[in-house]
């Protein structure tokens, strides 16, 4: 207390535990502090450790003077006699600091709020707000009084910086109610009767009646308990009015601040909390965080939550596998030994307590799932393999190597990858992961060659898709691959052989020896040779030696030659039980020789016999450029006398000109064309000479030109006369038929007019057969043909109509057989469709046999003379009414 010279220390008692009429009566003693709140004023913001601030007084209704006090703020310490001291240095950033001091009495914890107030910020004008205490009967503590500001010379506006300290009242006070808080007093109450009133929230505004003021005494009371969590502050306006004299004082603002009490326990933000931890985690690794909220005043001890782990289930391999930060709620790994394969999940019982862990408590759970880490190395089931693989195969399966892994199935720490680390410098093998992810599959990446190397020893390692979480040995497997010898086809060298030969090589000339070697050296096999794809048939080969000769004369100008090259396939066949065949390609570049004389493209020309225009004739030579142009031309035979021929300027075309005027008609011109080597050919040109002039060639058909106009008219007259005679004869016959009844058939015509219809065509005039009706004849049938019956078997294929008439017979036979097997074909008793058979038959019409209109005019008795078969017909039609 020696340092009190620089303090203005005071304990301001703002609230009383109880205020009742009849305070003179002694009440029963109850343990407690002598004030509802302690306020200690200091003159500086920064306070040093060891400083004494004042005293709190506690009475436990006994003679004890020393108690065990506890401060919720670690900056302060309370001695046994109630002296409040600074344990550590402190800076009042907001100008004040509030905390609680508590002690135990009769098994009950009793707390009191303490406020350290920086006087420079909150106490400048305390002289204008006199708070005095008045003695109570019985020597009890006096009631705080709020005086209205003094005024001089009537009403004056208060200074803007005038502040009334708030009235602090604890929440959840148990009464009795109404409970007196403070007395409002006017400085003019001695000279006049003063009426006091109160307005504002809690007075005349909802909640109405929470605060009341005695109009005569000015005593301000609260009528029911306050709840800081609903409303932490009330602003009231107090007025004092002199009866009969109007306003006595300016209104003052009264702030009632609800002091927080620890009436809310912490609440976990979720329950349970879910977290994960890798099984390879080390002590100190963060796992998760739990949080709880407290509805009490933020920043006070009432809402200061601390966390504790109460239990761990299962308590293996250690009961303290996890530790929690009591302030933040962060949970960390505390001990090694997490193993998902043994314990996949832990359940922690968590406690949250306010008052820095000494107040109200709540309980929750944290469930921690141990996730898989790659702490189990995959292991080959079999450490060594011996397999056999045929040579010359790519992507051939060599071996499948299963492995095991103790990590979580289908995770990256469980799935495997493989690598060949030794024994395959040429990259002949490939290793991959099988579909199960726990299997290594080795295949051939390149063809193996038994003759070069018949055995390989591979070293294979296995790892997971993710790195190992801890240091572990890598499992390996050894694979011995024995290469199996197979019969390989002979190999031609080179695979494509090109030679250059003249096209006129004589038959049986040697071209080249084209041979193949058998790679199966251990088998000692012989190779025989054949030629395939010799489309022109020019070559032959010795089956034992591979010597290729000319079988027939070659021709560079043949259609089988492309770009002067003729290609054949040569086969090399070994003598194994199952022979293998190799192929090589022989390309013969044919050198051109002058074996084709030039020819004239045109064979027919037309020219006028007067002022004839020259005719340009084209020359073609199948030989190459060295044996073609420039060409020369010569007229042969009698063509010299009437025609001239010369080469054009480029020596590639012939200019033929008629030099004498000839009569109209056809003439033959023989031209001999030679190439630049003198090889020649005689070409015949058929020249039609027309009676015309110049280049406008107009020839008239000679058959027509030979007849004059008179001849044409004579022919036309003869035709007309013939038609007229035919008409007269017809009329004569009709007239004669009307005078005499003629028999049905003339006797002398019976034997001569028998016609044979054993042909499958139509009538006599129908000799132009239309065979298109035989093509897919079922397509021409009517729609009524059994469309209601679905075929139960495949419909046969019908041949299309052949282009060659000689194949008509086979075409009909094949389609007849197809129709017999066609389930959709019509039956024999169905309507048949026939083609039109023509008209104009010389047999006349047989309709007269069934004519009802002309039956009386016919003589049917003649039929009796034709034999028994016709006698019945005569009786039917010539028997009269009988």
């Amino acid at each position: 207390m020696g340092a009190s010279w620089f303090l203005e220390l005071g304990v301001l008692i703002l609230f009383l535990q109880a205020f009742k009429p009849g305070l003179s009566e002694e009440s029963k003693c109850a343990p407690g502090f002598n004030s509802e709140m302690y306020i200690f004023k200091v003159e500086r913001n920064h306070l040093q450790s060891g400083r004494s601030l004042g005293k709190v007084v506690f009475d436990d209704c006994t003679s004890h003077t020393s108690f065990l006090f506890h401060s919720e703020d670690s900056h302060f310490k309370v001695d046994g006699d109630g002296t409040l001291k600074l344990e550590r240095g402190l800076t009042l950033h907001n100008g004040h600091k509030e905390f609680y001091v508590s002690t135990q009495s009769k098994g009950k914890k009793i707390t009191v709020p303490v406020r350290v107030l920086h006087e420079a910020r909150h106490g400048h004008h305390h002289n204008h707000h006199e708070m005095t205490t008045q003695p109570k009967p019985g020597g009890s503590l006096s009631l705080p009084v709020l005086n209205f500001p003094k005024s001089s010379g009537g009403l004056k506006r208060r200074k803007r910086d005038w502040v009334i300290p708030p009235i602090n009242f604890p929440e959840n006070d148990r009464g009795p109610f109404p409970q007196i808080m403070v007395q409002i007093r006017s400085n003019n109450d001695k000279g006049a009767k003063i009426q006091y009133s109160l307005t504002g929230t809690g007075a005349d505004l909802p909640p109405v009646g929470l605060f009341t003021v005695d109009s005569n005494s000015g005593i301000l009371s609260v009528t029911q308990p306050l709840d800081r969590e609903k409303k932490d502050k009330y602003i009231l306006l107090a007025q004092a009015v002199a009866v009969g004299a109007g306003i006595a004082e300016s209104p003052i603002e009264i702030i009632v601040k609800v002091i927080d009490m620890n009436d809310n326990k912490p609440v976990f933000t979720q329950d349970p909390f879910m977290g994960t931890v890798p099984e390879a985690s080390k002590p100190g690794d963060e796992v998760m965080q739990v949080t709880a909220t407290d509805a009490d005043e933020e920043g006070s001890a009432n809402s200061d939550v601390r966390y504790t782990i109460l239990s761990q289930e299962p308590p293996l391999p250690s009961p303290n596998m996890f530790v929690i930060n009591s302030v933040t709620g962060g949970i960390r790994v505390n001990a090694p030994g997490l193993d998902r394969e043994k314990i996949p999940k832990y359940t922690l019982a968590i406690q949250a307590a306010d008052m820095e862990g000494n107040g109200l408590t709540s309980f929750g759970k944290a469930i921690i799932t141990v996730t898989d880490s790659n702490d189990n190395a995959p292991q080959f089931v079999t450490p060594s393999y011996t397999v056999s693989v045929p040579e010359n195969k790519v992507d051939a399966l060599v071996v499948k190597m299963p492995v095991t892994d103790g990590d979580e199935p289908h995770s990256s720490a469980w799935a495997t990858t493989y690598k060949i680390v030794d024994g395959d410098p040429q990259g002949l093998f490939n290793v991959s992961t099988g579909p199960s992810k726990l299997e290594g599959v080795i295949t051939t990446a390149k063809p193996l060659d038994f003759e070069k190397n018949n055995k390989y020893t591979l070293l294979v390692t296995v790892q997971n898709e993710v790195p190992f979480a801890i240091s572990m040995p890598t499992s390996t497997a050894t694979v011995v691959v024995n290469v199996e010898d197979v019969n390989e086809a002979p190999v031609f060298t080179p695979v494509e052989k090109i030679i250059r030969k003249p096209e006129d090589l004589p038959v049986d000339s040697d071209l080249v020896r084209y041979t193949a070697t058998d790679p199966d050296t251990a088998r000692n096999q012989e190779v025989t040779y054949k030629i395939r794809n010799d489309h022109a048939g020019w070559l032959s080969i010795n089956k034992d030696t591979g010597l290729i000769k000319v079988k027939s004369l070659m021709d560079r100008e043949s259609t089988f030659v492309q770009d002067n090259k003729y290609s054949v396939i040569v086969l090399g066949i070994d003598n194994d039980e199952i022979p293998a065949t190799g192929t090589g390609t022989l390309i013969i570049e044919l050198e051109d020789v002058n074996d084709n004389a030039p020819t004239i493209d045109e064979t027919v020309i037309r020219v006028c016999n007067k002022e004839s225009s020259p005719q340009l004739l084209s020359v073609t030579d199948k030989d190459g450029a060295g044996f073609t142009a420039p060409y020369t031309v010569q007229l042969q035979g009698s063509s010299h006398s009437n025609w001239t021929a010369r080469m054009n300027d480029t020596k590639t075309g012939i200019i033929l000109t008629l030099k004498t005027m000839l009569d109209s008609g056809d003439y033959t011109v023989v031209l001999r064309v030679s190439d630049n080597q003198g090889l020649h050919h005689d070409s015949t040109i058929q020249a039609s000479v027309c009676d015309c002039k110049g280049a406008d060639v107009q020839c008239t058909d000679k058959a027509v030109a030979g007849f004059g106009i008179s001849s044409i008219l004579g022919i036309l007259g003869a035709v007309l006369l013939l038609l007229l005679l035919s008409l007269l004869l017809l009329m004569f016959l009709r007239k004669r038929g009307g005078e005499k009844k003629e028999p049905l058939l003339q006797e002398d015509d019976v034997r001569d007019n028998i016609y044979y219809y054993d042909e499958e065509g139509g009538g006599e005039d129908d000799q132009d057969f239309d065979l298109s009706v035989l093509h897919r004849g079922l397509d021409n049938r009517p729609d009524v043909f059994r469309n209601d019956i679905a075929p139960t078997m495949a419909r046969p294929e019908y041949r299309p109509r052949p282009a060659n008439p000689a194949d008509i017979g086979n075409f009909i036979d094949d389609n007849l057989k197809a129709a017999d097997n066609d389930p959709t074909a019509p039956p024999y008793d169905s309507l048949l469709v026939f083609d039109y058979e023509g008209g104009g038959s010389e047999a006349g019409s047989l309709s007269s046999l069934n004519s009802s209109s002309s039956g009386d005019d016919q003589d049917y008795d003649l039929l009796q003379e034709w034999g028994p078969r016709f006698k019945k017909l005569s009786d039917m039609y010539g028997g009269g009414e009988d």
Side-chain angles (χ1 to χ4, degrees), residues 557-629:
E557 291 74 33
S558 170
T559 56
F560 298 108
V561 177
Q562 301 292 331
D563 297 329
N564 301 331
K565 296 177 181 178
Y566 181 66
S567 300
V568 294
I569 301 298
V570 180
L571 305 180
I573 307 168
D574 63 24
N575 60 347
D576 193 77
E577 293 181 0
I578 302 177
T581 302
T583 60
T585 302
L586 176 63
I587 300 176
I588 306 173
E589 292 185 353
L590 294 174
E591 298 175 351
D592 189 26
V593 297
N594 195 12
D595 58 347
N596 292 279
T599 59
I600 299 174
D601 296 341
E602 292 80 9
T603 59
V604 177
I605 62 172
R606 285 187 175 188
V607 296
C608 289
N609 56 5
K610 302 180 187 69
E611 300 180 9
S612 177
S613 297
Q615 301 294 312
L616 179 62
L617 306 179
S618 302
V619 179
T620 300
D621 194 326
K622 294 182 180 179
D623 290 324
F627 304 105
T628 56

Side-chain angles (χ1 to χ4, degrees), residues 471-774:
S471 178
M472 294 181 292
T474 301
S475 178
T476 61
T478 302
V479 180
V480 177
V481 182
N482 294 315
V483 183
E484 297 177 349
D485 186 23
V486 298
N487 184 25
E488 299 176 79
V491 178
F492 283 88
T493 305
V495 177
E496 185 177 272
K497 190 176 187 67
I498 301 175
I499 62 174
R500 186 177 182 88
K501 298 292 180 178
E503 62 175 326
D504 61 346
L505 276 178
V507 174
D508 206 31
S509 298
D510 293 345
L511 285 177
V512 69
R513 187 183 302 273
Y514 192 21
T515 59
T517 57
D518 194 333
D520 297 314
T521 55
R523 295 173 179 255
N524 194 22
Q525 299 179 131
E526 296 181 356
V527 180
T528 57
Y529 302 95
K530 291 182 180 180
I531 290 182
R532 190 177 66 182
N533 295 342
D534 182 14
H535 300 295
W538 294 339
L539 308 177
S540 65
I541 189 169
N542 187 302
K543 68 182 183 62
D544 297 321
T545 64
L547 177 62
I548 300 175
K549 293 186 175 184
V550 178
K551 184 173 69 173
S552 61
L553 291 176
M554 298 182 289
D555 185 3
R556 189 192 67 87
E557 291 74 33
S558 170
T559 56
F560 298 108
V561 177
Q562 301 292 331
D563 297 329
N564 301 331
K565 296 177 181 178
Y566 181 66
S567 300
V568 294
I569 301 298
V570 180
L571 305 180
I573 307 168
D574 63 24
N575 60 347
D576 193 77
E577 293 181 0
I578 302 177
T581 302
T583 60
T585 302
L586 176 63
I587 300 176
I588 306 173
E589 292 185 353
L590 294 174
E591 298 175 351
D592 189 26
V593 297
N594 195 12
D595 58 347
N596 292 279
T599 59
I600 299 174
D601 296 341
E602 292 80 9
T603 59
V604 177
I605 62 172
R606 285 187 175 188
V607 296
C608 289
N609 56 5
K610 302 180 187 69
E611 300 180 9
S612 177
S613 297
Q615 301 294 312
L616 179 62
L617 306 179
S618 302
V619 179
T620 300
D621 194 326
K622 294 182 180 179
D623 290 324
F627 304 105
T628 56
Y631 302 109
T632 59
V633 63
Q634 292 177 347
L635 288 167
Q636 302 296 311
S638 61
S639 300
H640 286 282
S641 58
N642 298 320
W643 303 84
T644 62
R646 63 181 179 84
M647 299 304 300
N648 62 2
D649 293 340
T650 60
K651 305 299 181 179
T652 57
I654 300 173
I655 300 175
L656 181 63
T657 307
L658 178 63
K659 67 179 181 178
T660 61
M661 188 176 72
L662 300 175
D663 293 334
S664 299
D666 291 336
Y667 298 88
T668 299
V669 181
V670 179
L671 296 172
R672 175 173 292 177
V673 185
S674 304
D675 59 21
N676 59 8
Q677 300 294 320
L679 184 63
H680 63 267
H681 173 74
D682 291 345
S683 298
T684 301
I685 306 299
Q686 190 69 32
S688 296
V689 179
C690 302
D691 189 12
C692 56
K693 181 179 181 180
D696 186 13
V697 181
Q698 294 183 354
C699 291
T700 306
D701 188 89
K702 293 186 290 182
V704 177
F707 289 95
I709 299 299
S710 59
S711 299
I712 296 175
L713 292 177
I715 293 174
L716 292 176
V719 172
L720 291 176
L721 180 59
L722 181 60
L723 291 175
L724 181 59
L725 291 175
S726 300
L727 182 60
L728 292 176
L729 179 60
L730 181 61
M731 293 176 62
F732 174 75
L733 293 175
R734 179 170 292 184
K735 182 178 181 181
R736 184 181 178 185
E739 295 175 355
K740 182 181 179 180
K741 183 184 296 183
E742 297 181 358
L744 177 64
L745 293 174
Q746 297 295 330
E747 183 176 358
D748 56 346
D749 292 333
V750 171
R751 300 301 177 185
D752 298 336
N753 294 336
I754 294 177
Y755 294 89
Y756 296 91
Y757 288 97
D758 57 345
E759 297 177 355
E760 294 296 331
E764 288 78 0
D765 295 345
D766 183 25
Q767 299 303 318
D768 186 15
F769 299 104
D770 182 10
L771 295 178
S772 64
V773 297
L774 297 177

Side-chain angles (χ1 to χ4, degrees), residues 175-215:
F177 295 100
Q179 183 167 324
I180 297 175
M181 301 175 64
V182 71
Q183 182 181 13
I184 304 172
R185 181 178 178 184
S186 173
N187 295 317
N188 301 321
D189 59 351
K190 296 179 180 179
K193 180 175 178 58
I194 304 299
Q195 293 285 334
Y196 299 96
S197 63
L198 195 65
T199 60
T201 300
D204 60 344
L205 297 177
V208 178
L210 182 60
F211 299 99
T212 61
V213 63
D214 187 286
S215 60

Side-chain angles (χ1 to χ4, degrees), residues 332-581:
R332 301 188 307 274
V333 177
N334 187 51
L338 293 173
D339 191 342
R340 184 199 64 84
E341 289 73 29
K342 294 181 179 179
I343 303 176
K345 183 171 63 176
Y346 289 90
T347 301
L348 305 181
I350 309 296
Q351 172 186 286
D354 57 15
M355 296 293 293
E356 296 182 349
N358 299 314
L360 304 177
T361 58
S362 292
F363 303 96
K365 289 184 178 180
I367 299 176
I368 301 175
T369 301
V370 182
T371 60
D372 188 37
S373 296
N374 195 11
D375 58 348
N376 292 282
Q379 300 293 324
F380 282 103
V381 175
T382 303
S384 63
Y385 299 86
T386 300
V387 296
S388 297
V389 180
E391 65 174 332
N392 300 326
K393 288 188 176 181
V394 179
D395 291 332
L397 177 63
V398 177
V399 67
K400 292 183 177 180
M401 303 171 293
V403 299
T404 59
D405 194 297
D407 291 312
E408 183 179 2
H410 308 293
S411 66
S412 298
W414 173 83
T416 54
T417 60
Y418 303 85
K419 185 178 181 181
I420 299 175
V421 296
D422 191 29
D424 185 25
Q426 298 175 341
L428 298 176
F429 299 91
N430 176 59
V431 62
S432 60
T433 303
S436 67
K437 299 295 185 180
L438 288 180
E439 182 180 61
V441 180
I442 297 180
T443 57
T444 55
K446 299 177 183 179
L448 305 180
D449 192 342
F450 174 84
E451 287 70 30
K452 292 182 178 179
N453 190 354
N454 59 9
K455 185 177 181 180
Y456 297 87
T457 302
L458 309 178
L459 183 63
V460 185
T461 62
V462 59
Q463 293 181 331
N464 294 117
E465 291 181 351
V466 296
F468 294 153
I470 57 178
S471 178
M472 294 181 292
T474 301
S475 178
T476 61
T478 302
V479 180
V480 177
V481 182
N482 294 315
V483 183
E484 297 177 349
D485 186 23
V486 298
N487 184 25
E488 299 176 79
V491 178
F492 283 88
T493 305
V495 177
E496 185 177 272
K497 190 176 187 67
I498 301 175
I499 62 174
R500 186 177 182 88
K501 298 292 180 178
E503 62 175 326
D504 61 346
L505 276 178
V507 174
D508 206 31
S509 298
D510 293 345
L511 285 177
V512 69
R513 187 183 302 273
Y514 192 21
T515 59
T517 57
D518 194 333
D520 297 314
T521 55
R523 295 173 179 255
N524 194 22
Q525 299 179 131
E526 296 181 356
V527 180
T528 57
Y529 302 95
K530 291 182 180 180
I531 290 182
R532 190 177 66 182
N533 295 342
D534 182 14
H535 300 295
W538 294 339
L539 308 177
S540 65
I541 189 169
N542 187 302
K543 68 182 183 62
D544 297 321
T545 64
L547 177 62
I548 300 175
K549 293 186 175 184
V550 178
K551 184 173 69 173
S552 61
L553 291 176
M554 298 182 289
D555 185 3
R556 189 192 67 87
E557 291 74 33
S558 170
T559 56
F560 298 108
V561 177
Q562 301 292 331
D563 297 329
N564 301 331
K565 296 177 181 178
Y566 181 66
S567 300
V568 294
I569 301 298
V570 180
L571 305 180
I573 307 168
D574 63 24
N575 60 347
D576 193 77
E577 293 181 0
I578 302 177
T581 302

Side-chain angles (χ1 to χ4, degrees), residues 37 76 93 124 172 409 433 499 599 625 706 817:
M37 182 178 184
F76 300 95
H93 295 290
H124 286 307
N172 302 324
T433 303
I499 62 174
T599 59
K817 294 177 182 178

